Amino acid sequence: MDTALQSSRRTHLFRQVMPGDRVFCTAVVMLLILSEVFSSNIQTTLPTFSYVCRLALTVGTTALLIGKLLFFTDWDSRRQPVIAAVAVLYAAAAAWYGNDQWFFLAVLIGTAAKGVDLRRALRVYLAAAVAGLVVVQLLHYTTDLIPFSYYCRNWDYGYGHYNGYGARLAGVFFAWGWLRWPRLKLWDWAGLTALAVYTLLVPGSRGAGMTMVMLLVLFAAQKLLPAFFESRVWHGIVLALMPLATAGSLVAGYLFDPGNPGATPLLEKLNRLLSGRFEVWHHVFWRFPIWHVEEDGTTWYHGEMPATFSLFGGVATDGDEHHAIDNAFLALPMNKGLVGAVLIGAMFLFLLWRLCRRGRTGETLFLAAILLYFLMENKPFLFSADPFVFLLPAALLTPRGAPLPVVCPRPQSDEEVSYGKVSSE
């Protein structure tokens, strides 16, 4: 009797999943397989197989998400599909010009999130992200398919760089915390804390680990001072973070001179704390030449760097020593140009403004933390590190006055909010 009742409930729940949700969640899984498994070092051991799989996953994900937008999305007005089309076309053009496929995929999956049950999609995201990380580690320890390489000061754990591994751990942390806030139980606190400690001590990814710690501090502070995080003071801080982080990055990179660090002692201390980030910003973004010393003792001149200011960007910002810059706020104008940086910045600020205006405290905590993460890393559009692209419809595709498609409930209410189950506002 009980078994039949449980089976009936499972069948009922399965039937409640809309076709658009199934298409979207399938695309989420495929995109995470692309990022978690086939963006690993398996590309060096099985290059042809990996290339075919990457191509199939990219094309398949794109087709599914475009199909979701065309056939399984309910638009609230004629203007909305036009906005979505413009966003996707711009992302495609900017991604092609800047050689950044993850930007296009992030915008595409963000726009396709319209009308989706975000809580269900986030559960799928978390399960697929964890499974991908486990598969890579198992393949390393049981086969020769995914070798680990020692890079700079630590092992890369199969992802080419320890910060690449840390970024994927951060994505798991964000998704887990986002799903559970504000109902974090003792086991949630223990698990999230353990993940933060692991990220700091094992791969040694400071950007991801420090962001996790910061988010846990914000969780605790919000529990102790809930009124503050619903006040205009907190909302003002959140809205100011992005322009302040951008201005601070520009000024710190320009003023800090690695050849004479004593001239700015405070910046020197911060530079050491942030693993030499200011040196990178100084030389790469502001194009100051440097004699670069490799680990093997050889020295080469790091001098002929491309212009970092242009209307449409196009400079690669991740990988090459002449271009790589560990700061998303500086990477935006380099890769997407001044036009792209203004557009993306305005959209992000508009999203934050809407969240603050509607009192969505949970999402403001997460976005404040990820803005601080972007000070240390250049992975704003890597989907496996940033599940918050699911919030794109809250900025672009939600009519004025309509409930926002979010995951976190209001602090003063136990009622959960998603696009399919929306409380009155």
Side-chain angles (χ1 to χ4, degrees), residues 47-359:
T48 304
F49 176 72
S50 296
Y51 174 77
V52 171
C53 289
R54 286 177 62 86
L55 183 63
L57 288 167
T58 303
V59 173
T61 299
T62 302
L64 284 175
L65 293 173
I66 291 176
K68 159 65 174 65
L69 285 168
L70 292 176
F71 305 111
F72 300 106
T73 301
D74 294 327
W75 305 105
D76 302 301
S77 66
R78 293 180 181 179
R79 182 172 55 184
Q80 284 191 350
V82 175
I83 294 173
V86 170
V88 171
L89 290 174
Y90 166 73
W96 173 79
Y97 190 68
N99 192 26
D100 180 12
Q101 71 166 10
W102 288 110
F103 176 60
F104 168 69
L105 292 171
V107 173
L108 184 58
I109 204 163
T111 52
K114 177 172 172 53
V116 169
D117 185 331
L118 293 187
R119 186 165 288 276
R120 179 180 288 117
L122 202 53
R123 290 193 188 103
V124 171
Y125 177 103
L126 181 59
V130 171
L133 285 170
V134 170
V135 165
V136 168
Q137 303 310 306
L138 285 178
L139 286 176
H140 168 73
Y141 288 108
T142 59
T143 71
D144 295 326
L145 290 177
I146 301 183
F148 286 1
S149 301
Y150 195 83
Y151 184 90
C152 188
R153 60 181 173 85
N154 213 333
W155 294 99
D156 68 350
Y157 290 87
Y159 290 101
H161 195 288
Y162 47 86
N163 284 336
Y165 183 44
R168 289 160 175 86
L169 292 174
V172 170
F173 186 97
F174 291 144
W176 182 356
W178 198 10
L179 270 171
R180 296 291 298 166
W181 191 91
R183 301 186 182 89
L184 295 171
K185 305 297 184 184
L186 183 60
W187 66 271
D188 290 303
W189 284 98
L192 292 171
T193 301
L195 185 56
V197 172
Y198 173 84
T199 304
L200 282 170
L201 298 183
V202 180
S205 179
R206 295 189 189 181
M210 290 169 65
T211 301
M212 295 177 190
V213 172
M214 176 60 68
L215 196 48
L216 288 172
V217 170
L218 286 174
F219 286 166
Q222 192 276 331
K223 287 286 186 183
L224 294 173
L225 301 169
F228 171 78
F229 288 92
E230 296 175 43
S231 69
R232 291 186 178 181
V233 175
W234 168 248
H235 295 163
I237 292 172
V238 171
L239 290 170
L241 274 177
M242 188 172 189
L244 286 177
T246 302
S249 301
L250 292 169
V251 173
Y254 185 82
L255 294 180
F256 179 75
D257 182 2
N260 185 23
T264 52
L266 177 59
L267 294 182
E268 181 186 12
K269 293 177 181 178
L270 288 173
N271 180 63
R272 287 200 301 267
L273 176 65
L274 303 180
S275 304
R277 257 50 175 198
F278 292 178
E279 297 178 37
V280 176
W281 307 349
H282 183 82
H283 291 300
V284 177
F285 189 83
W286 290 109
R287 305 175 66 201
F288 286 99
I290 183 178
W291 287 97
H292 187 85
V293 180
E294 293 283 9
E295 291 183 21
D296 59 4
T298 59
T299 303
W300 51 276
Y301 186 61
H302 184 154
E304 294 184 4
M305 291 173 283
T308 51
F309 285 107
S310 66
L311 281 179
F312 302 108
V315 178
T317 56
D318 199 4
D320 188 280
E321 284 287 348
H322 285 74
H323 308 166
I325 185 162
D326 292 329
N327 184 315
F329 303 104
L330 301 182
L332 275 177
M334 291 174 65
N335 188 258
K336 306 296 183 292
L338 296 177
V339 171
V342 170
L343 288 174
I344 295 168
M347 186 279 299
F348 197 89
L349 285 174
F350 183 64
L351 170 62
L352 283 173
W353 177 77
R354 287 193 123 184
L355 293 170
C356 290
R357 190 181 181 193
R358 304 292 183 85

